[in-house]
């Protein structure tokens, strides 16, 4: 009897540690499977691309944003750590058209992942305000395709196809999510068309960001600075010209951006007895969604034009 009791105790002592070992192994395996290695590692170059990728990939991908919260992408340069993150990723989602000015400074020669250019297949605008020399190569192309919801539908399809090609097992999932998001973008597009129908068409914004938007919805964009980059110079002659134009077109609202000082726009508004509203190019990372930010833009445009 004593021997049986002893054997029972020994067997219990052996079983308990083995059970705990099995439990700990299971939980650590679960933890491991939910981290990086089992999912596509996706890096996005801009907040709107991060959001598009997240809407398509959801929990099947790990997507990170390269440009930090609150930083102007025109000012951003990648660090060594950013370069290391890029090398470890499976896909880099880019806008293209020179928007990622920093990409040329990265050594991507040994990169085994895929660089996805979401501008592929879209009709790109040239800004005639610059010479065609090397210095202005990027400035001469307008990268702001994401401000046209119709073009965004194409960007979403491009991202969905890239994810599908890299992870064919989940292809249907990516394509289905993309279709759902495209329907939301289609509703946004319809709302913009309906709400701006029959309104005035001329508006004054800070920099040359809304060309694709204006062309899509039959509007005419006038800019305080002509560059595609919001850091252009504002001269007294520029101010005089815009004030004169605003008076001629009977424009009472001057648009500013959240990433730049509103002083310039305010000076013009004061001269014409008007006011300043924000028209966001969606370049600064925020917690608001693409559709909510574009809807805010629409509301401000309606106030200016309708």
């Amino acid at each position: 009897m004593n021997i049986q009791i002893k054997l029972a105790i020994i067997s219990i002592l052996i079983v308990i540690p083995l059970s705990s070992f099995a439990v700990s192994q299971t939980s650590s395996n679960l933890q491991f499977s939910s981290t990086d290695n089992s999912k596509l590692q996706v890096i996005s170059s801009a907040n709107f691309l991060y959001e598009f990728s997240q809407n398509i990939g959801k929990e099947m991908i790990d997507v990170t944003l390269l440009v930090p919260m609150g930083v102007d992408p025109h000012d951003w340069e990648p660090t060594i750590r950013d370069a290391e993150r890029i090398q470890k990723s499976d896909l880099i989602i880019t806008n293209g058209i020179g928007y990622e000015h920093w990409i040329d400074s990265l050594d991507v020669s040994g990169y085994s992942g895929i660089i996805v250019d979401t501008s592929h297949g879209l009709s790109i605008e040239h800004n005639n305000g610059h010479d065609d020399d090397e210095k202005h190569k990027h400035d001469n192309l307008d990268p702001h395709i994401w401000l046209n919801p119709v073009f965004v539908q194409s960007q979403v399809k491009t991202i969905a196809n890239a994810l599908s090609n890299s992870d064919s097992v989940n292809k249907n999932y990516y394509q289905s999510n993309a279709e759902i998001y495209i329907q939301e973008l289609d509703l946004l597009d319809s709302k913009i068309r309906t709400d701006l129908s029959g309104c005035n068409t001329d508006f004054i914004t800070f920099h040359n960001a809304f060309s694709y938007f204006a062309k899509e919805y039959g509007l005419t964009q006038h800019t305080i600075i002509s560059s595609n980059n919001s850091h252009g110079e504002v001269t007294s002659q520029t101010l005089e010209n815009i004030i004169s134009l605003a008076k001629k077109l009977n424009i009472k609202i001057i648009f500013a951006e959240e990433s730049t000082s509103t002083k310039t726009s305010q000076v013009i508004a004061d001269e014409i007895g008007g006011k300043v509203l924000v028209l966001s190019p969606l370049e600064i990372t925020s917690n608001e969604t693409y559709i909510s930010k574009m809807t805010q833009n629409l509301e401000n445009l309606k106030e200016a034009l309708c």
Side-chain angles (χ1 to χ4, degrees):
M1 186 66 108
N2 285 346
I3 291 169
Q4 285 179 327
I5 291 167
K6 280 181 183 176
L7 283 172
I9 291 167
I10 288 166
S11 65
I12 288 166
L13 289 172
I14 290 169
V15 168
I16 289 171
L18 282 175
S19 307
S20 340
F21 177 73
V23 170
S24 69
Q25 282 295 94
T26 309
S27 61
S28 68
N29 283 344
L30 284 171
Q31 193 178 3
F32 180 74
S33 68
S34 67
T35 55
D36 307 346
N37 293 3
S38 66
K39 298 183 182 184
L40 276 182
Q41 297 301 296
V42 181
I43 282 180
S44 58
S45 67
N47 189 48
F48 47 89
L49 295 171
Y50 172 85
E51 186 183 342
F52 303 159
S53 303
Q54 190 64 64
N55 272 299
I56 299 161
K58 297 189 187 290
E59 73 280 0
M60 292 299 176
I61 65 171
D62 277 330
V63 58
T64 54
L65 178 62
L66 207 51
V67 181
M69 199 69 123
V71 173
D72 188 328
H74 297 293
D75 299 329
W76 185 80
E77 293 292 341
T79 63
I80 292 169
R81 190 175 176 189
D82 292 323
E84 288 171 355
R85 281 167 62 203
I86 286 168
Q87 286 294 347
K88 290 175 183 173
S89 68
D90 298 309
L91 298 100
I92 305 170
I93 312 294
T94 69
N95 183 74
I97 327 170
Y99 183 72
E100 290 81 9
H101 65 91
W102 42 264
I103 210 158
D104 295 337
S105 69
L106 282 174
D107 180 18
V108 289
S109 53
Y111 179 62
S112 57
I114 296 162
I115 298 175
V116 182
D117 182 344
T118 60
S119 70
H120 184 71
L122 293 174
S123 176
I124 305 308
E125 297 280 325
H126 288 257
N127 177 15
N128 298 322
H130 290 289
D131 301 323
D132 292 326
D133 59 17
E134 190 64 24
K135 180 171 178 276
H136 291 129
K137 182 176 70 175
H138 288 333
D139 279 343
N140 200 35
L141 292 170
D142 183 356
H144 298 87
I145 49 175
W146 67 90
L147 292 172
N148 178 344
V150 177
F151 280 10
V152 169
Q153 293 178 42
S154 172
Q155 289 184 286
V156 166
K157 284 176 187 170
T158 299
I159 295 168
N161 290 340
L163 294 178
S164 299
N165 291 338
S166 294
D167 177 20
S168 56
V169 173
N170 292 308
K171 177 182 177 178
N172 290 343
Y173 182 76
Y174 298 138
Q175 296 295 336
S176 171
N177 289 341
E179 280 307 312
I180 291 165
Y181 191 51
I182 284 167
Q183 286 171 16
E184 291 179 37
L185 292 165
D186 200 42
L187 286 173
L188 173 66
D189 168 51
S190 298
K191 181 171 173 56
I192 295 168
R193 283 181 205 285
T194 304
D195 287 9
L196 295 179
S197 172
C199 299
N200 295 327
T201 56
D202 293 276
F203 66 101
I204 296 173
T205 188
F206 188 73
H207 86 287
N208 186 45
F210 288 86
S211 299
Y212 298 106
F213 181 93
K215 190 173 184 180
E216 187 66 53
Y217 301 110
L219 306 176
T220 306
Q221 171 190 239
H222 304 279
T223 62
I224 297 170
I225 56 173
S226 63
S227 80
N228 295 315
N229 183 318
S230 59
H231 294 341
E233 188 185 354
V234 181
T235 64
S236 55
Q237 187 59 55
T238 302
L239 287 175
E240 280 180 36
N241 292 346
I242 290 293
I243 289 163
S244 172
L245 179 71
K247 286 177 177 174
K248 180 183 167 188
L249 296 172
N250 196 30
I251 289 172
K252 291 296 180 189
I253 288 176
I254 306 295
F255 287 110
E257 299 171 8
E258 65 267 87
S259 60
T260 55
S261 170
T262 59
K263 284 179 185 173
T264 305
S265 301
Q266 194 61 59
V267 166
I268 298 164
D270 290 344
E271 282 295 318
I272 61 171
K275 70 173 182 175
V276 174
L277 289 177
V278 169
L279 198 59
S280 173
L282 278 72
E283 293 189 73
I284 298 293
T285 304
S286 78
N287 292 321
E288 293 173 87
T289 67
Y290 173 82
I291 288 174
S292 71
K293 289 286 281 183
M294 287 298 288
T295 304
Q296 284 173 25
N297 279 347
L298 173 60
E299 290 307 311
N300 287 346
L301 275 166
K302 278 162 64 179
E303 188 172 339
L305 301 175
C306 305

